[in-house]
Amino acid sequence: NAGVTQTPKFRVLKTGQSMTLLCAQDMNHEYMYWYRQDPGMGLRLIHYSVGEGTTAKGEVPDGYNVSRLKKQNFLLGLESAAPSQTSVYFCASSRGGGAHRETQYFGPGTRLLVL
Amino acid sequence: AQSVSQHNHHVILSEAASLELGCNYSYGGTVNLFWYVQYPGQHLQLLLKYFSGDPLVKGIKGFEAEFIKSKFSFNLRKPSVQWSDTAEYFCAVNAYSRGTGNQFYFGTGTSLTVIP
């Protein structure tokens, strides 16, 4: 099993450009999450999904959109990138099952630099 | 706003020393609590978690944590650290409220360096 994979690993964008980050998991997990990690701030939840076709807002959802069209994939979109979105983005998945008590399995992260 | 505080930003210990990393959260309702670890060059992975029952939980690699509800704390402990415990440690809280729904809040992390 590959676990949780993220594409791309690193990207440089200009302000105003758009891009999509892809997260894929092969563990048949129900729940998936997108976080960002900034220096001195820990991980902050952007959006999450509790199943195919569902999404919900996390702590810092502004400027991002997500889609969960297939159970194994969770896409994070930036429609118009801003320098404040320079960060490391982590995806995670868990078995779910009605509560957020299950272990989250994290991907390797995507480093995004917005100039 | 909910928050998770990790008081120790960087800890340096010699091998065989005892470890205690503090974690406090600000949410008054029912919570699920986690400690995650990130070893150099590896993904974040779960150390241990608590959601009900015995407030003293044991995790992998000899780690344990104690949930003290009255103190809103979930401190991580290990009696004798090893060089291989050098890593970044994150405390996390899952909390639900009618206003914000289900959320996860992570602390800022504690960098542990163990000197052989």
Side-chain angles (χ1 to χ4, degrees):
Chain A
N1 286 355
V4 179
T5 57
Q6 293 183 231
T7 309
K9 289 184 170 55
F10 177 70
R11 184 77 183 267
V12 179
L13 287 180
K14 294 181 179 178
T15 297
Q17 286 184 317
S18 63
M19 79 163 293
T20 300
L21 281 67
L22 169 64
C23 176
Q25 51 93 5
D26 61 1
M27 298 173 282
N28 200 35
H29 283 171
E30 288 293 332
Y31 291 10
M32 296 186 75
Y33 307 82
W34 273 110
Y35 295 90
R36 59 178 289 174
Q37 184 180 26
D38 303 294
M41 297 196 73
L43 279 78
R44 291 183 292 168
L45 183 62
I46 304 171
H47 287 280
Y48 64 95
S49 167
V50 298
E52 184 178 318
T54 73
T55 63
K57 293 181 180 180
E59 185 185 3
V60 289
D62 294 341
Y64 304 94
N65 55 75
V66 287
S67 64
R68 184 101 181 266
L69 299 180
K70 293 182 179 181
K71 186 177 183 179
Q72 63 267 35
N73 295 338
F74 194 29
L75 304 179
L76 178 71
L78 287 73
E79 289 187 350
S80 179
S84 61
Q85 294 177 303
T86 293
S87 188
V88 181
Y89 292 85
F90 288 98
C91 177
S93 71
S94 73
R95 288 196 305 176
H100 293 266
R101 299 172 175 175
E102 298 292 335
T103 301
Q104 291 187 32
Y105 294 84
F106 284 82
T110 294
R111 291 185 177 274
L112 177 64
L113 174 62
V114 183
L115 301 175
Chain B
Q2 319 303 341
S3 69
V4 178
S5 299
Q6 291 184 242
H7 315 296
N8 318 101
H9 297 294
H10 196 173
V11 174
I12 302 173
L13 294 173
S14 298
E15 274 193 318
S18 64
L19 170 72
E20 180 160 2
L21 301 182
C23 174
N24 287 89
Y25 60 94
S26 64
Y27 183 67
T30 301
V31 294
N32 298 316
L33 301 162
F34 307 80
W35 275 97
Y36 282 87
V37 61
Q38 187 170 28
Y39 297 104
Q42 296 188 25
H43 303 185
L44 272 157
Q45 59 185 276
L46 183 74
L47 264 182
L48 46 79
K49 61 183 176 180
Y50 170 83
F51 53 87
S52 66
D54 188 343
L56 184 63
V57 292
K58 296 190 184 300
I60 62 172
K61 304 187 179 185
F63 285 91
E64 63 179 33
E66 185 175 12
F67 170 52
I68 304 179
K69 189 174 182 179
S70 61
K71 294 185 177 180
F72 299 91
S73 70
F74 190 54
N75 292 354
L76 180 71
R77 300 194 292 249
K78 185 170 184 179
S80 176
V81 295
Q82 301 172 313
W83 175 79
S84 58
D85 293 325
T86 294
E88 189 93 16
Y89 293 80
F90 294 91
C91 180
V93 175
N94 165 236
Y96 173 84
S97 72
R98 297 184 84 177
T100 61
N102 249 308
Q103 296 294 334
F104 269 90
Y105 303 98
F106 276 74
T108 54
T110 296
S111 175
L112 172 66
T113 301
V114 180
I115 302 170

